[in-house]
Amino acid sequence: MTSTTTALPTGLTTGTWAVDASHTEAAFTVRHAGISKVRGTVAVTSGTVVVGEDLDSTSVTVTLDPATISTGDAGRDGHLKTADFFDVEKFGEWSFASTAVRPTGSDYVIVGDLTIHGVTREVELATEFNGSAVDPFGNTRAGFEATTTISRKDFGLTWNAALEAGGVLVSDKVVITIDASVIKQA
């Protein structure tokens, strides 16, 4: 990697920041039947942001639990957990590990390896730093929002059903958005 001269965002100090799972959400949106969207969430169970002196020495790791998938419909959630989709019995953990962080205007791109359903692919997360604050308990927190679009097929997720009018029930394109709160560690 080449050295990055871009300064870290104001309020984001060097050191280790732990993902606050109770204030972090991974959400997804996928087109259904070509006419509407289904939205859901997956719990982020742990993660760490290590902020170095520059972007080249900054990294992000996150773990998610696919058994927590929630779309607001118990039947659909149950189907998503089966071998037709995520096979959570066999692939009980998803992960992301950054390989690079680079500036893009006033925001950032976090490049890394996303593993879903036992398949790892490189993704780019368009990331916005939302600032930092000290909470009422004395914790220094920072917030981020990151978005990427993936192909289900790239992760071996190929189940679908043909529609009578043409097309398929579940689109290949999935938009993933992560709203993260991290806490500075001592």
Side-chain angles (χ1 to χ4, degrees), residues 122-142:
E122 183 177 86
V123 299
E124 293 189 1
L125 295 161
T127 305
E128 178 182 352
F129 175 65
N130 293 327
S132 63
V134 176
D135 69 20
F137 309 102
N139 297 307
T140 301
R141 293 178 171 271

Side-chain angles (χ1 to χ4, degrees), residues 72-114:
D73 181 282
R76 178 174 44 226
D77 296 347
H79 188 203
L80 289 172
K81 295 172 188 177
T82 71
D84 282 348
F85 285 95
F86 299 119
D87 197 357
V88 300
E89 292 294 320
K90 186 174 181 182
F91 304 106
E93 182 177 282
W94 297 348
S95 63
F96 174 82
S98 68
T99 56
V101 180
R102 64 178 187 260
T104 176
S106 62
D107 294 324
Y108 301 86
V109 172
I110 301 174
V111 180
D113 295 326
L114 176 63

Side-chain angles (χ1 to χ4, degrees), residues 30-38 76 163 168-171:
V30 62
R31 189 155 301 278
H32 179 261
I35 58 170
S36 64
K37 292 180 181 176
V38 169
R76 178 174 44 226
L163 299 174
V168 291
L169 186 63
V170 183
S171 74

Side-chain angles (χ1 to χ4, degrees), residues 26-28 42-43 62-67 69 80 82 84-88 90-97 112-123 125 148-158 172 174-178:
F28 61 89
V42 178
V62 177
T63 302
L64 302 98
D65 180 0
I69 288 176
L80 289 172
T82 71
D84 282 348
F85 285 95
F86 299 119
D87 197 357
V88 300
K90 186 174 181 182
F91 304 106
E93 182 177 282
W94 297 348
S95 63
F96 174 82
D113 295 326
L114 176 63
T115 301
I116 296 175
H117 195 242
V119 178
T120 302
R121 295 282 184 255
E122 183 177 86
V123 299
L125 295 161
T148 192
T149 300
I150 65 169
S151 160
R152 290 187 318 115
K153 292 176 187 170
D154 286 350
F155 291 89
L157 302 169
T158 59
D172 182 50
V174 180
V175 178
I176 300 170
T177 303
I178 298 137

